[in-house]
Amino acid sequence: MTEREIKTGYDFIVVGAGSAGCVLAARLSENAAARVLVLEAGSGQPLPEMAVPPAWPALMGSTADWADQTVVQSASGAVVGWPRGRGLGGSSSINAMNFNRGHRSSYDAWALPGWGFDDLLPYLQRSEHAPHRDPTLRGRGGPLAVGQAKDPHPLAEAGLAAAEQAGYRRATDISGGLEEGFDWVDLNITEGRRQSAADAYLGPALDRQNLEVITDALAHRVLLSDGRCTGVEYSVAGNLAIAECAGGGEVVLAAGTVGSAQLMLLSGIGPSAHLREHGIPALVDLPGVGENLHDHPMCGVVYAAARPLPPAVNNHGEVQGLIRTGGPDVQIMFVDVPLREDSLPGPEIGHGYTVISALMAPLSRGTVRLESATPGARPRIDPRYYTERRDLEAMAAGLRAARAIGGACALQPWRGAEAWPGCAVADDELSDWPPYNLRSYSHYAGSCRMGLDEMAVVDPELRVLGVTGLRVADASIMPAPVSANTNATVYAIAERAAELLR
Ligand SMILES: Cc1cc2nc3c(=O)[nH]c(=O)nc-3n(C[C@H](O)[C@H](O)[C@H](O)COP(=O)(O)OP(=O)(O)OC[C@H]3O[C@@H](n4cnc5c(N)ncnc54)[C@H](O)[C@@H]3O)c2cc1C
C-alpha cells in the first residue's frame, strides 16, 4: 500500500469549485495571509461549448455533467434527468446563463436573521457589474459582468409584446428582485461568451501564492476529531490523500445540493438510522441532512412554428415573467425549442417553440440519500415532484397563463398549432397534465437547510450544527425555494459566507 499524501496548514479548505466554491476561493484568498485549498472532482479544462451561449444544451451528458437522474417519480411513473456541473465553475459552466434574483418575498420568507432581502442586497450587489440597471438596487464593479441579450431572438421580442397584450405588466428590471411582470432577463454573457464562476472569480485569483486548486480530486469525507472538523480525505486518480486544516482553520462544503449532502452523509453526519443502513458510524446525528430537497418543476405549452425559427445566438430564453397564482410563484419564459419529453408527439427543434411555465414556490419536498457508501457513487435523489396537490394546481394556473400569452396577437406570425397539451385539453383539465411533461429546471436546493430548529443542518452563520470548523455554503442551505433561477442567489450566499469566514 502506498503512503497517503498529507497536505497540512490550510486556513480554509473549500470542497467544490462550482458557483459558490469559486466565489469562496477568490474572496478568501484576497487575504494574502490565509492559505486556501480548493478540491474539485471535475476537470480543470473547460469544454469548447461552454463558451458558446446557445450550445449549452450540448453540455448535458458531457464530461462536465454528473448526469444524475431521480428515482422514479410517483407523479409521473418515470425518472427525471438531473444534470449538474462537474469541473471548474460547476453548474455555472453548463447552465443556461439566466441571472436573476428571487423576489424579495422569497428571502423574507426564510425569516432568518441576516438573510432577508435587504440583508442580502449588499452581497447580491457585490457579485455583479450591471451598469444598465438602477445603481441603488444593482451592483457596479463586481466580478460578474451581466447584461441583457444582444441580438435578441424575434420569438422573445414577440413573447414580451404578447405578455403585455395578455394584460401583464412590463417590468423595468425583472432580475432585480423587486418586481413582478415581464422583461428582458439579465444574462451571464459578456462579449458573446458565457461568463462562469470560474471565469469571473477563480481565473483572476489563480496566480495568488496562497491559493491552491486541485482538480480531478474527489472528496471522500470530512475528517472529525472530538467534534471538530480537521480536514478532508480525497482521492486523485484513485490515490487517497488528506488535506488538513491549520489550527483554527475551517472546511467549507460547496459541493452543491447533491454533493454537499452526500459528503455529509459519507462523513457520518446525518440521520443515524440511514447511516447505519450503509455501515457508516453516525458521528453526528443530524436528522435534517438530505431532507428538504426542492427544485422548480418545469412544463410549458408547446407550439408548432408557422415558419422556421432563426437560430439562437444567446441562451434560448431571453425574456422572463414572474406572475402570481398565489404569491409571485410562476415564471413564464419563451424558448425557441419545443420542450417536450421524447415520448410525446410534437415538432422538432427549429420547428417549434414553448411558452414555459415553471413553478417557483413548490411545496413538495424530497430527499438526497446514499445509494451506497462508496464515495463518488450515484446518490439516491428523490425530489418527490407534485406530491403536494397544490403544486399541480399552481402549475395548471401557470399553463393557463402560458396559453393565454401564447395565443396573443403578437405571437401570431410564429404560431402554428398547439402541439402540447393540445387544443383537446380544456383549461379546467390542465392540472392533470404537468406530470406527463415533467422536467427539472435544475434549481436544486435545500438539502442542508439553514435554520434554527431541530431539523436545521446549518445555523444562520452556515456552521454545521454539532461540529466545529465545518460550514456549508452553496445552494443546499436555502431553507425554501426562491422565485427565480438560483445562480444569482448562490453567488450572494457565497459572498456572505466569505465575509462570515474572514
Ligand atoms: C443545466 C442547468 C441549467 C441551469 N440554468 C440556470 C440558469 O439559467 N440560471 C440560474 O440562475 N441557474 C441555473 N441553474 C442552476 C445554477 O447553475 C445552480 O443553482 C448553481 O450553479 C449551484 O451552485 P453550487 O455552488 O451550489 O453548486 P455547483 O455549481 O453545482 O458546484 C458544485 C461543485 O462541487 C463539485 N463536487 C461535488 N461533489 C464533490 C466531491 N465529492 N468532491 C469534490 N468536488 C465535488 C462539483 O463537481 C461542482 O463543481 C442551472 C443548472 C443546471 C445544471
Side-chain angles (χ1 to χ4, degrees):
M1 206 169 108
T2 51
E3 247 180 51
R4 292 179 188 194
E5 184 188 4
I6 300 182
K7 299 164 79 70
T8 58
Y10 297 103
D11 297 291
F12 302 107
I13 302 173
V14 178
V15 180
S19 298
C22 288
V23 175
L24 289 159
R27 292 304 189 195
L28 295 173
S29 63
E30 280 171 0
N31 171 8
R35 273 188 76 200
V36 181
L37 172 68
V38 180
L39 300 171
E40 166 55 47
S43 162
Q45 285 305 315
L47 300 175
E49 294 88 350
M50 287 175 179
V52 184
W56 72 264
L59 294 162
M60 305 306 105
S62 71
T63 51
D65 177 12
W66 291 83
D68 291 322
Q69 52 179 222
T70 69
V71 301
V72 170
Q73 294 298 284
S74 60
S76 62
V79 302
V80 177
W82 262 47
R84 62 181 167 113
R86 178 184 181 129
L88 297 182
S91 297
S92 78
S93 292
I94 67 165
N95 77 7
M97 294 156 282
N98 290 116
F99 185 80
N100 44 343
R101 305 166 178 175
H103 189 267
R104 70 174 301 142
S105 56
S106 306
Y107 308 97
D108 292 346
W110 290 358
L112 287 168
W115 294 92
F117 182 81
D118 292 335
D119 305 309
L120 263 188
L121 187 56
Y123 306 99
L124 290 159
Q125 289 175 317
R126 190 173 295 175
S127 70
E128 66 180 4
H129 179 57
H132 59 304
R133 301 293 197 187
D134 172 3
T136 62
L137 178 63
R138 303 296 302 275
R140 293 281 188 283
L144 294 161
V146 302
Q148 290 171 210
K150 303 233 166 34
D151 302 318
H153 198 284
L155 182 80
E157 285 180 319
L160 185 55
E164 286 190 84
Q165 287 168 349
Y168 292 97
R169 75 181 285 270
R170 173 74 199 258
T172 56
D173 178 5
I174 198 61
S175 303
L178 296 185
E179 290 181 78
E180 296 168 39
F182 284 74
D183 185 23
W184 298 99
V185 65
D186 285 342
L187 304 174
N188 291 121
I189 299 176
T190 176
E191 291 169 11
R193 295 169 66 89
R194 171 196 298 272
Q195 191 186 35
S196 69
D199 300 325
Y201 279 92
L202 189 64
L206 278 178
D207 59 0
R208 292 179 189 156
Q209 296 298 312
N210 59 330
L211 174 62
E212 197 177 333
V213 180
I214 310 182
T215 51
D216 300 301
L218 178 74
H220 289 206
R221 60 191 178 109
V222 301
L223 302 169
L224 302 183
S225 173
D226 293 332
R228 177 163 197 101
C229 181
T230 56
V232 180
E233 182 184 76
Y234 65 100
S235 65
V236 178
N239 297 314
L240 272 184
I242 285 176
E244 288 178 342
C245 296
E250 294 204 46
V251 171
V252 190
L253 299 187
T257 292
V258 174
S260 287
Q262 184 180 21
L263 260 180
M264 295 270 277
L265 297 170
L266 289 171
S267 309
I269 307 170
S272 53
H274 175 60
L275 298 176
R276 269 198 306 275
E277 279 169 38
H278 290 282
I280 298 171
L283 302 180
V284 184
D285 183 13
L286 210 49
V289 174
E291 295 285 327
N292 189 50
L293 178 67
H294 47 83
D295 182 22
H296 295 143
M298 193 166 77
C299 199
V301 180
V302 182
Y303 294 90
R307 51 192 168 127
L309 291 154
V313 296
N314 294 301
N315 69 334
H316 305 284
E318 304 156 4
V319 165
Q320 284 186 353
L322 181 62
I323 66 168
R324 55 171 63 222
T325 74
D329 57 357
V330 166
Q331 186 190 91
I332 302 286
M333 187 163 64
F334 307 95
V335 296
D336 58 316
V337 178
L339 213 68
R340 59 180 168 82
E341 277 303 287
D342 293 343
S343 56
L344 296 172
E348 299 303 322
I349 288 179
H351 301 280
Y353 62 92
T354 310
V355 184
I356 286 182
S357 164
L359 209 56
M360 293 289 109
L363 299 177
S364 303
R365 297 287 183 273
T367 52
V368 177
R369 292 271 180 265
L370 296 177
E371 198 73 83
S372 121
T374 307
R378 290 196 185 285
R380 183 182 165 82
I381 299 168
D382 186 2
R384 303 180 72 243
Y385 292 116
Y386 297 134
T387 46
E388 291 286 340
R389 180 76 203 171
R390 162 84 183 99
D391 290 351
L392 281 172
E393 301 299 341
M395 184 57 101
L399 288 173
R400 280 193 288 278
R403 223 180 212 181
I405 296 165
C409 285
L411 278 164
Q412 199 263 328
W414 297 103
R415 189 168 54 241
E418 183 183 311
W420 195 89
C423 299
V425 181
D427 271 3
D428 60 4
E429 296 167 345
L430 281 171
S431 58
D432 294 336
W433 286 77
Y436 291 108
N437 200 5
L438 169 55
R439 306 178 75 93
S440 165
Y441 208 168
S442 305
H443 295 161
Y444 331 125
S447 60
C448 298
R449 175 169 74 79
M450 169 171 64
L452 298 165
D453 57 298
E454 70 282 1
M455 287 301 282
V457 174
V458 297
D459 71 10
E461 298 204 348
L462 305 179
R463 295 175 292 217
V464 174
L465 299 174
V467 185
T468 312
L470 178 62
R471 304 203 202 206
V472 184
D474 57 25
S476 70
I477 64 101
M478 293 188 210
V482 292
S483 67
N485 311 56
T486 37
N487 207 20
T489 300
V490 174
Y491 282 120
I493 289 169
E495 286 279 11
R496 176 127 212 273
E499 195 168 283
L500 290 168
L501 281 155
R502 269 192 298 241

